[in-house]
């Protein structure tokens, strides 16, 4: 008798197990760029008026996590949003898009921030930064936490690294600051014709441009190339010379 029952149950169990295996493989994958998830990220046919509903924090850059249909329904119930007509899948794997910024590239961004933030008459040397970063996608920029009074000496500065519109990641930078009277003098004035040198690896291309602001040695200034209208930024390396890296 018991044997006959197992014979009848066997097809049902096989069907159940095959469905579970299929469901495990049939997980929808989505990639997001923001710090927060929205309903429209996990439910494709969500109408525009509810697609922006916040679904919680997104994974860290380069990481992923699975959101279940039960979690989606629970959030909609809490928000008093009806689920009728919404195609809510059993599982959604959400991955956060990312970019790898190596130590050398990150150091260049920190140097640019230093050049922008250091007061007149101050320069730096022996900048030490250890390690790269996994960041969200987007343009990378750095903001340094500078002391109220900048004097000569060795500082451990907090560097806040931004990518796109995401929240910053923070790292420590060790740098030695010095006073440099020669650098305090402006060697480029607004409206001056300057040589704009563009460096791409070992190749250097020079063109003429017009400085859009005054600049001292080591300072980043805006320049408009003679054959173009788009403003670019470079570092003053000599009187009438501005260099920029691509």
């Amino acid at each position: 008798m018991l044997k006959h029952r197992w014979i009848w149950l066997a097809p049902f169990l096989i069907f159940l197990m095959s469905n579970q295996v299929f469901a495990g493989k049939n997980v929808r994958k989505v990639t997001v760029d923001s710090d927060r998830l929205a309903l429209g990220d996990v439910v494709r046919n969500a109408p525009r008026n509810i697609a922006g509903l916040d679904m919680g924090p997104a994974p860290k850059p380069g990481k992923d996590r699975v959101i279940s249909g039960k979690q989606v329904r629970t959030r909609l119930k809490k928000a008093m949003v009806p689920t009728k007509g919404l195609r809510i899948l059993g599982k959604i794997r959400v991955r956060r898009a990312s970019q790898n910024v190596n130590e050398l590239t990150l150091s260049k961004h920190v140097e640019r921030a230093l050049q922008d933030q250091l007061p007149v008459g101050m320069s730096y040397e022996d900048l030490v930064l250890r390690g790269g970063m996994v960041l969200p996608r987007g343009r990378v920029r750095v903001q340094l936490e500078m002391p109220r009074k900048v004097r000569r000496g060795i500082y451990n500065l907090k560097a806040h690294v931004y990518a796109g519109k995401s929240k910053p990641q923070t790292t420590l930078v060790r740098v030695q600051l010095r006073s440099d009277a020669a650098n305090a003098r402006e060697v480029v004035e607004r409206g001056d014709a300057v040589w704009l040198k563009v460096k791409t690896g070992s190749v250097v291309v020079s063109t003429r441009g017009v400085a859009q602001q005054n600049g001292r040695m080591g300072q980043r200034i805006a320049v408009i190339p003679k054959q173009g209208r788009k403003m670019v930024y470079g570092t003053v390396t000599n009187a009438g010379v501005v260099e920029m890296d691509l």
Side-chain angles (χ1 to χ4, degrees), residues 9-49:
L9 283 172
F12 175 73
L13 290 172
I14 293 170
F15 172 77
L16 202 65
M17 290 173 66
S18 64
N19 270 353
Q20 286 177 346
V21 171
F22 179 75
K25 292 181 179 179
N26 193 31
V27 177
R28 181 187 158 205
K29 298 177 182 179
V30 296
T31 303
V32 297
D33 273 321
S34 59
D35 292 324
R36 307 288 298 181
L37 289 177
L39 180 63
D41 295 324
V42 295
V43 179
R44 283 184 175 176
N45 72 326
R48 188 174 295 180
N49 61 324

Side-chain angles (χ1 to χ4, degrees), residues 28 30 32 34 36-56 67-69 71-77 79-89 92 94:
R28 181 187 158 205
V30 296
V32 297
S34 59
R36 307 288 298 181
L37 289 177
L39 180 63
D41 295 324
V42 295
V43 179
R44 283 184 175 176
N45 72 326
R48 188 174 295 180
N49 61 324
I50 62 170
L53 179 69
D54 183 71
M55 298 295 291
I67 295 177
S68 68
Q71 289 174 299
V72 175
R73 288 187 176 88
T74 300
R75 176 70 183 104
L76 291 172
K77 184 178 179 181
M80 297 183 180
V81 175
T83 59
K84 186 177 180 180
L86 296 179
R87 291 198 295 271
I88 302 172
L89 300 182
I92 307 102
V94 180

Side-chain angles (χ1 to χ4, degrees), residues 3-216:
K3 186 178 181 181
H4 288 297
R5 285 182 181 178
W6 276 111
I7 291 172
W8 283 103
L9 283 172
F12 175 73
L13 290 172
I14 293 170
F15 172 77
L16 202 65
M17 290 173 66
S18 64
N19 270 353
Q20 286 177 346
V21 171
F22 179 75
K25 292 181 179 179
N26 193 31
V27 177
R28 181 187 158 205
K29 298 177 182 179
V30 296
T31 303
V32 297
D33 273 321
S34 59
D35 292 324
R36 307 288 298 181
L37 289 177
L39 180 63
D41 295 324
V42 295
V43 179
R44 283 184 175 176
N45 72 326
R48 188 174 295 180
N49 61 324
I50 62 170
L53 179 69
D54 183 71
M55 298 295 291
K60 292 183 178 180
K63 303 293 183 181
D64 57 57
R65 67 183 175 94
V66 174
I67 295 177
S68 68
K70 183 179 178 181
Q71 289 174 299
V72 175
R73 288 187 176 88
T74 300
R75 176 70 183 104
L76 291 172
K77 184 178 179 181
K78 187 176 180 180
M80 297 183 180
V81 175
T83 59
K84 186 177 180 180
L86 296 179
R87 291 198 295 271
I88 302 172
L89 300 182
K91 290 182 180 179
I92 307 102
R93 185 176 295 278
V94 180
R95 183 170 182 82
R96 181 76 179 276
S98 64
Q99 59 177 320
N100 294 329
V101 180
N102 64 40
E103 184 177 311
L104 297 174
T105 303
L106 193 56
S107 294
K108 285 185 178 181
H109 287 292
V110 172
E111 287 178 0
R112 290 172 183 170
L114 266 174
Q115 292 163 2
D116 287 341
Q117 293 182 241
L118 281 178
V120 175
M122 297 296 296
S123 60
Y124 67 93
E125 58 185 3
D126 298 332
L127 187 149
V128 179
L129 180 150
R130 299 297 183 198
M133 279 186 170
V134 180
L135 297 172
R137 289 194 296 201
R139 186 177 70 87
V140 178
R141 60 186 180 87
V142 174
Q143 182 74 27
L144 296 166
E145 281 191 23
M146 302 293 290
R148 290 184 179 180
K149 292 184 178 180
V150 180
R151 299 187 177 92
R152 289 181 299 174
I154 297 174
Y155 292 85
N156 288 314
L157 303 176
K158 284 185 179 180
H160 302 297
V161 184
Y162 296 81
K165 296 180 180 179
S166 297
K167 292 180 180 178
Q169 295 185 33
T170 302
T171 187
L172 283 177
V173 178
R174 184 178 178 275
V175 63
Q176 183 171 350
L177 302 182
R178 67 183 184 189
S179 57
D180 194 343
N183 284 349
R185 183 171 58 87
E186 291 178 343
V187 294
V188 173
E189 293 185 358
R190 183 178 180 181
D192 282 355
V194 296
W195 280 106
L196 182 62
K197 294 186 176 181
V198 183
K199 295 174 68 177
T200 308
S202 59
V203 179
V204 180
V205 178
S206 297
T207 186
R208 300 295 286 178
V210 179
Q212 299 303 296
Q213 58 192 108
N214 299 342
R216 61 186 186 278

